[in-house]
Amino acid sequence: MLTAIVGINWGDEGKGRMVDLLSADYDIICRYQGGNNAGHTVINDKGKFILNLLPSGVFRDNAVNVMGGGMVIDIEHLCGEIKSLKDSGLELSPKNLKISDKAFICFPYHKQQDILEEERLKDKQYGSTRRGIAPVYGDKYMKKGLRMCDLLNPGTIKQKLLDILEWKTIILSGYGGASYIEKNILLNWLLEFGKELQPYIIDTTNYLQKEVASGKKVMFEAQLGALRDIDYGIYPYTSSSQTLAAYAPIGAGLPGAQLDSVIGVMKAYSSCVGEGPFVVEMFGEEATALREAGGEYGAATSRPRRVGAFDVPASCYGVQVQGAKEIALTKLDVLSYMEKIPVCVAYEIDGVQTAEFTTGDALTKAKPVYEYLDGWQTDISACRAKTELPAAALEYVRFIENAVGCPISYVSVGADREQYVEF
Ligand code: GDP
Ligand code: MG
């Protein structure tokens, strides 16, 4: 059984909390793309955690967590994340955490390049998390990267790094920033954190193939959402990796496998961190009210998120490109304060209404067309069954389910693991 849990929107849909919940039925949980630009919040009996690199299955005692080759790993950050879990009483060992030998290492100079480029762009910034993700993926495709497998070969890693630094110095000198490349500091950094991670590094393809053959159930955890996919998202306001479910087996280490199931995590309204066209964006008091109700501040960066109504054209597109078979609708409780709930059912572009989403330039001209649904104006965070939800809340869920054309299986009504209703 291979299942992917993926984002339908712009990210921060609540993937972490759904993986934490649904991983109970799985043996292995794999992150398959992205780096520590992710912020996956999990609240359960063990406490509140924000995971950047580790899969959200780390709280399941019998699960093995895998960091796939499609990921980019800031090794210092990962060591910090492992340590902070240990401090909370959760010990990860090479038995329950495995890191792909093919994942790329995100260096301090990637972070520096990210920051220098965002600052050069000034008001044309991409809204990067400034954690080096675009530069490290860029270097991967330029074939100027070092991988986790290199950490297993201390004899050759130094020369490989020096060769890359020769090239990187040329790139960074354009920013007047070549001084960021301190060879010895970088080498020591690599050796120090590399040594700590060595025991976890394996060939995840080999491992996963054997486990799947013996009947183990695998869950793939995505970072960000469909609209941030490098190929199918709102380029260039995307992430630098493939966030789609179709990539999950490849990014985790099972390139020949097919998914049995795709669960799309979709928010009951919209939020978007960073720049780019966001048709349903609310402003002023309306935005503040929704942002505060939803606690919409970035888990990785604490940046206030842009917020808006549920966006049907964008979400239909998300469901389609993810190939979602079922939906977990999150944060329904956040809408409880609204008397009337706006839902964007179509876009108007150059005077013409359309329900179709586009990732092209026309998106910047799109104006939202709203329908208003009745609110329920009562606290639903203690509801645990469909029958306990107010009629207007049920109607809202049904409306959205019909609009996106995909069955909703779970509705979450609070951030805690148990705050959800099965549909
Ligand atoms: P992810 O990146 O998709 O894992 O999502 P994030 O963790 O970045 O953002 C989701 C935020 O919403 C976190 O702060 C969660 O604790 C919170 N959250 C998740 N589900 C619910 C819910 O049903 N209700 C409320 N009020 N908060 C939720
Ligand atoms: Mg997040």
Side-chain angles (χ1 to χ4, degrees):
M1 177 74 176
L2 304 180
T3 300
I5 299 210
V6 296
I8 295 297
N9 311 119
W10 295 263
D12 304 320
E13 298 91 345
K15 295 173 294 295
R17 68 84 42 97
M18 290 315 298
V19 171
D20 172 58
L21 173 68
L22 301 175
S23 57
D25 298 330
Y26 288 79
D27 304 296
I28 301 170
I29 293 90
C30 309
R31 265 281 301 270
Y32 63 89
Q33 40 76 232
N36 60 317
N37 51 337
H40 293 181
T41 314
V42 173
I43 303 174
N44 56 30
D45 51 342
K46 296 189 164 77
K48 175 176 177 176
F49 306 88
I50 294 175
L51 300 169
N52 302 128
L53 284 163
L54 292 167
S56 303
V58 288
F59 308 101
R60 297 287 177 189
D61 292 338
N62 299 316
V64 174
N65 287 270
V66 171
M67 298 173 65
M71 291 188 74
V72 290
I73 301 177
D74 175 334
I75 54 176
E76 180 178 359
H77 194 96
L78 179 57
C79 288
E81 218 170 302
I82 292 172
K83 181 174 180 306
S84 103
L85 276 194
K86 190 174 172 191
D87 294 344
S88 317
L90 264 158
E91 183 116 27
L92 291 168
S93 74
K95 267 196 169 150
N96 58 10
L97 175 65
K98 309 204 182 273
I99 306 173
S100 169
D101 54 359
K102 295 184 185 62
F104 280 78
I105 300 170
C106 183
F107 280 90
Y109 58 75
H110 289 121
K111 265 198 286 195
Q112 285 149 2
Q113 187 180 351
D114 205 353
I115 293 166
L116 288 168
E117 176 57 11
E118 283 288 278
E119 282 173 359
R120 188 192 68 80
L121 284 168
K122 297 203 176 72
D123 57 343
K124 290 182 178 165
Q125 289 185 8
Y126 296 128
S128 163
T129 52
R130 300 175 173 224
R131 293 190 168 184
I133 309 304
V136 64
Y137 274 113
D139 286 5
K140 164 178 172 171
Y141 288 98
M142 291 291 284
K143 292 167 284 182
K144 304 288 186 199
L146 282 182
R147 303 190 291 175
M148 298 304 285
C149 54
D150 292 312
L151 297 174
L152 300 176
N153 298 309
T156 53
I157 198 167
K158 181 174 178 187
Q159 193 53 50
K160 280 192 180 183
L161 179 65
L162 291 177
D163 289 346
I164 287 173
L165 291 183
E166 229 180 272
W167 169 79
K168 202 71 195 176
T169 305
I170 301 171
I171 305 292
L172 285 184
S173 61
Y175 293 99
S179 57
Y180 289 106
I181 306 250
E182 280 288 347
K183 292 186 183 101
N184 285 332
I185 293 178
L186 282 173
L187 195 63
N188 287 338
W189 180 88
L190 193 57
L191 295 178
E192 180 190 343
F193 297 109
K195 190 155 183 250
E196 218 173 305
L197 296 175
Q198 269 175 359
Y200 300 93
I201 302 168
I202 61 157
D203 178 337
T204 54
T205 301
N206 210 338
Y207 168 74
L208 287 171
Q209 264 168 356
K210 281 189 191 140
E211 295 298 304
V212 170
S214 74
K216 294 278 168 55
K217 293 166 102 182
V218 182
M219 171 173 280
F220 302 105
E221 174 180 11
Q223 179 223 354
L224 284 160
L227 304 168
R228 299 287 193 201
D229 181 85
I230 181 81
D231 294 313
Y232 292 88
I234 49 171
Y235 187 87
Y237 301 103
T238 57
S239 195
S240 302
S241 62
Q242 286 90 350
T243 63
L244 299 187
Y247 185 76
I250 297 175
L254 283 169
Q258 276 194 0
L259 294 171
D260 297 295
S261 171
V262 176
I263 302 173
V265 185
M266 190 167 86
K267 220 171 201 164
Y269 54 95
S270 298
S271 77
C272 160
V273 83
E275 304 304 318
F278 185 43
V279 179
V280 290
E281 183 158 16
M282 290 174 179
F283 299 94
E285 277 173 25
E286 197 188 13
T288 306
L290 183 51
R291 185 176 303 114
E292 293 308 316
E296 293 299 345
Y297 294 88
T301 58
S302 303
R303 287 185 287 182
R305 293 177 184 146
R306 299 156 77 192
V307 291
F310 185 83
D311 185 329
V312 172
S315 302
C316 278
Y317 177 78
V319 166
Q320 184 197 11
V321 293
Q322 290 289 16
K325 298 284 176 287
E326 53 182 316
I327 297 287
L329 186 73
T330 54
K331 305 190 83 161
L332 187 66
D333 55 301
V334 172
L335 300 178
S336 298
Y337 74 93
M338 288 188 183
E339 202 180 324
K340 286 278 177 192
I341 308 176
V343 174
C344 169
V345 290
Y347 293 165
E348 191 186 300
I349 301 175
D350 294 331
V352 179
Q353 272 201 20
T354 174
E356 238 164 66
F357 186 71
T358 168
T359 58
D361 286 348
L363 191 59
T364 56
K365 294 194 276 180
K367 305 230 168 359
V369 177
Y370 290 115
E371 261 187 45
Y372 292 85
L373 274 70
D374 288 337
W376 45 92
Q377 296 195 285
T378 172
D379 184 2
I380 57 169
S381 61
C383 296
R384 296 291 176 271
K386 255 164 80 168
T387 47
E388 295 170 16
L389 283 171
L394 282 174
E395 180 48 35
Y396 186 79
V397 175
R398 288 289 166 236
F399 183 90
I400 287 191
E401 185 173 54
N402 281 335
V404 300
C406 187
I408 290 174
S409 309
Y410 308 92
V411 173
S412 77
V413 292
D416 246 72
R417 184 190 272 172
E418 300 307 328
Q419 286 184 293
Y420 72 100
V421 173
E422 241 177 274
F423 266 63

